[in-house]
Amino acid sequence: MAKRKFKKQIYRYECTMTGEAFKTTREAPNPNDLVSVKAYYELNPDEDDRPEEIKKQLQTEE
C-alpha cells in the first residue's frame, strides 16, 4: 500500500505593530494579537534577556 503525502497548510500573518510578515504551519488562535520578537522586546524592555552581542548586532542593522 502506498503512503499518502500530506501537504502542510501554511498560514501567513502580519505583525500588528511593525507590519513584518511571517508564516507558520500552525493556525494562530488570536491572529490580531500577534507581534514580532522585535516588537515584543520594544514593548517589554525589562524582559529583554538576550546577550549583549545580539542587542548590538540588531542596533547596527537598523
Side-chain angles (χ1 to χ4, degrees), residues 37-38 41-42 44-62:
V37 174
K38 181 179 175 182
Y41 284 135
E42 286 178 6
N44 303 306
D46 55 324
E47 295 182 16
D48 192 355
D49 57 350
R50 297 177 289 181
E52 291 297 323
E53 301 163 358
I54 302 295
K55 291 178 188 178
K56 289 178 185 176
Q57 181 183 12
L58 292 172
Q59 286 178 351
T60 57
E61 288 177 2
E62 292 177 353

Side-chain angles (χ1 to χ4, degrees), residues 3 14-15 20 23 26-27 36 46 53 57 62:
K3 282 189 172 183
E14 190 172 308
C15 175
E20 180 182 350
K23 59 184 177 180
R26 287 189 175 174
E27 186 175 9
S36 64
D46 55 324
E53 301 163 358
Q57 181 183 12
E62 292 177 353

Side-chain angles (χ1 to χ4, degrees), residues 4-42:
R4 264 192 187 179
K5 197 170 194 180
F6 290 101
K7 184 177 180 184
K8 285 192 177 185
Q9 177 70 31
I10 295 182
Y11 300 94
R12 299 180 193 283
Y13 296 108
E14 190 172 308
C15 175
T16 55
M17 293 184 63
T18 61
E20 180 182 350
F22 52 95
K23 59 184 177 180
T24 182
T25 56
R26 287 189 175 174
E27 186 175 9
N30 299 322
N32 294 332
D33 296 337
L34 293 176
V35 293
S36 64
V37 174
K38 181 179 175 182
Y40 177 80
Y41 284 135
E42 286 178 6

